[in-house]
Amino acid sequence: QGQLVESGGGSVQAGGSLRLSCAASGFTFGDSDMGWFRQAPGNECNLVSIISSDGRTYYADSVKGRFTISQDNAKNTMYLQRNSLKPEDTAVYYCAADIMGLFDSVVCGTRANYWGQGTQVTVSS
């Protein structure tokens, strides 16, 4: 049974940085598209970034130039480095694996075979 576990969430002031980690187990890491979604209160899960199995990356316009997605296949871990954080980045962040397609937003827990439990990120102004 595949599992994803996020870590690295927390509270930070605007302009600060945080790195999220997503540790994978139970499936072949790096063989599928993986990525990050985020959910603000009352919203669906919005796509933040994807890294494909061949290393190509995609970013939502709202985070381009500020967020960087990466993965370490030796550690079975994916990362999201987030710089220049803004209050509107406040959300629960989810990692997902084996993502089926490129969608701006999804119902959390769908469109991917594996989802993490989510980690809260709060950015204060």
Side-chain angles (χ1 to χ4, degrees), residues 14-110:
S17 299
L18 278 177
R19 188 178 78 161
L20 299 180
S21 300
C22 174
S25 62
F27 63 95
T28 305
F29 186 85
D31 272 5
S32 65
D33 292 353
M34 301 184 62
W36 293 90
F37 292 81
R38 65 186 180 186
Q39 184 182 34
N43 291 347
E44 290 190 329
C45 271
N46 293 316
L47 179 64
V48 176
S49 182
I50 283 181
I51 185 165
S52 68
S53 56
D54 60 1
R56 288 173 296 156
T57 58
Y58 167 87
Y59 297 94
D61 287 343
S62 59
V63 306
K64 279 180 182 176
R66 299 189 298 122
F67 290 12
T68 303
I69 191 171
S70 62
Q71 63 186 41
D72 185 334
N73 289 346
K75 296 182 177 179
N76 283 5
T77 302
M78 178 176 62
Y79 304 98
L80 186 69
Q81 176 66 43
R82 298 161 311 128
N83 300 326
S84 302
L85 284 164
K86 304 175 181 180
E88 51 263 43
D89 294 319
T90 294
V92 176
Y93 283 71
Y94 297 90
C95 64
D98 201 11
I99 298 171
M100 294 171 276
L102 188 64
F103 305 95
D104 289 337
S105 64
V106 301
V107 173
C108 299
T110 69

